[in-house]
């Protein structure tokens, strides 16, 4: 399909008051055949999930949503996390004027404090990619002090000094996602698109790997796969999102 044939994604929002996790609900709907563009939004989650099995605290006053997309199997679903994070950055700016950045691989930060996170989970039928649920959580009007030991957190209300309109924020993020997603489907390099929005590049970073090793070095660049190129004082190494517990910029 050429760029010209591509219709922007049509969102169909399912709003819920409370759910265990919008990811679980979206994945249930996906296996029942729900179309691309289905969005599950909840006012609260009782078992919100973050990266690597961490929990995502989800009180009233935040934005919690999962977007169902059905990209062709040939696309690398890993880079969708970056697309989602960039959509969050742009949506936050459009809705509030606040400048946010991406801390590799999937955190959205304002002044180095985490304000939002994105998570793309692939669902397969046999070997073939069936659909992806893109989970987005934004701390909006609730004061959140910390979501993990490695990362102090903030919320939009803290950055802005007044409450934000959660529905507006949601709409802005969906609009930005629709735009970036159709470019991504059309072959645009997500890494190129996010480069300017990544706070991590050009910084010294400390990384805890899933193997329990701490690495310290300079974040030099990104691979088309979404991997981060590190220079560990001379030794070059590319790390992937699935290899790390957390990353801190120093
Ligand atoms: C992370 O930074 O670890 C990713 C956090 C993603 C949280 C969102 S909230 C909406 C959706 N439902 C979930 O259970 N998780 C994602």
């Amino acid at each position: 399909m050429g760029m010209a044939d591509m219709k922007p994604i049509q969102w169909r929002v399912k709003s819920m008051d409370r759910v265990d996790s919008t990811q679980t609900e979206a994945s249930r709907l996906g296996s029942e055949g729900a179309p691309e563009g289905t969005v599950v939004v909840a006012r609260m989650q009782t078992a919100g999930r973050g990266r690597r099995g961490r929990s995502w605290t989800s009180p009233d006053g935040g934005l919690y949503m999962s977007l169902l997309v059905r990209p062709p199997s040939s696309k690398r679903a890993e880079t969708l996390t970056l697309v989602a994070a960039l959509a969050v950055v742009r949506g936050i700016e459009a809705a509030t004027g606040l400048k946010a950045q991406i801390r590799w691989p999937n955190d959205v930060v304002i002044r180095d404090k985490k304000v939002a996170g994105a998570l793309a989970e692939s669902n397969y039928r046999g070997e073939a990619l069936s659909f992806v649920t893109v989970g987005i959580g934004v701390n909006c009007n609730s004061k959140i002090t910390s979501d993990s030991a490695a990362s102090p957190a903030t919320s939009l209300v803290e950055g802005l000094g007044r409450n934000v309109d959660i529905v507006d924020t949601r709409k802005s993020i969906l609009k930005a996602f629709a735009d970036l997603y159709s470019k991504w489907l059309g072959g645009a390099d997500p890494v190129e698109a996010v480069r300017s929005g990544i706070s991590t590049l050009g910084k010294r970073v400390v990384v805890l790997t899933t193997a329990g090793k701490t690495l310290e070095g300079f974040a030099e660049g990104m691979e088309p796969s979404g991997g981060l190129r590190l220079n560990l004082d001379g030794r070059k190494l590319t790390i992937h999102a699935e290899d790390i517990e957390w990353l801190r910029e120093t």
Side-chain angles (χ1 to χ4, degrees), residues 2-247:
M3 282 277 228
D5 313 319
M6 220 110 58
K7 283 208 253 17
I9 197 162
Q10 293 295 314
W11 300 117
R12 308 172 181 217
V13 178
K14 173 177 180 179
S15 287
M16 306 177 81
D17 190 56
R18 179 194 293 258
V19 69
D20 48 0
S21 157
T22 57
Q23 284 294 90
T24 308
E25 180 63 11
S27 145
R28 195 182 62 74
L29 294 173
S31 6
E32 288 173 356
E36 172 162 274
T38 301
V39 180
V40 178
V41 183
R43 194 169 63 85
M44 278 183 264
Q45 295 181 119
T46 52
R49 300 201 292 271
R51 271 188 85 230
R52 304 205 52 76
R54 289 197 276 257
S55 67
W56 184 261
T57 317
S58 310
D60 191 14
L63 169 59
Y64 315 107
M65 66 176 170
S66 295
L67 288 43
L68 176 67
V69 289
R70 297 183 177 275
S73 277
S74 58
K75 298 294 293 180
R76 294 185 59 97
E78 293 89 340
T79 53
L80 256 183
T81 307
L82 284 174
V83 170
L86 186 60
V88 173
V89 165
R90 294 201 177 155
I92 286 177
E93 173 147 24
T96 67
L98 288 170
K99 296 247 185 284
Q101 282 191 303
I102 300 168
R103 180 173 55 207
W104 188 88
N106 71 322
D107 293 346
V108 175
V109 297
I110 293 179
R111 281 186 231 100
D112 294 334
K113 291 183 176 176
K114 180 159 173 170
V115 71
L119 180 71
E121 294 178 319
S122 297
N123 292 256
Y124 296 88
R125 178 167 292 167
E127 301 271 283
L129 181 65
S130 175
F131 59 89
V132 182
T133 53
V134 178
I136 292 174
V138 186
N139 303 332
C140 294
N141 298 327
S142 44
K143 298 220 163 59
I144 293 194
T145 44
S146 164
D147 78 320
S148 79
S151 144
T154 187
S155 52
L156 295 179
V157 63
E158 224 180 281
L160 205 63
R162 60 176 162 77
N163 274 1
V164 300
D165 185 328
I166 297 178
V167 174
D168 229 46
T169 308
R170 185 226 296 163
K171 287 186 176 160
S172 301
I173 294 172
L174 289 178
K175 188 157 176 269
F177 186 92
D179 176 48
L180 292 164
Y181 181 67
S182 69
K183 290 185 175 138
W184 179 77
L185 282 180
D189 179 358
V191 171
E192 205 42 62
V194 298
R195 199 175 301 272
S196 62
I198 297 239
S199 65
T200 319
L201 294 179
K203 295 239 176 79
R204 279 195 77 80
V205 297
V206 181
V207 171
L208 177 66
T209 70
T210 52
K213 263 172 78 180
T214 306
L215 306 174
E216 197 169 342
F218 182 71
E220 285 191 323
M222 277 174 75
E223 298 290 338
S225 62
L228 187 71
R229 273 207 316 271
L230 296 180
N231 186 334
L232 308 172
D233 301 316
R235 189 163 66 91
K236 307 227 176 186
L237 181 80
T238 297
I239 49 168
H240 295 277
E242 64 271 20
D243 304 332
I244 69 144
E245 285 296 338
W246 50 253
L247 172 147

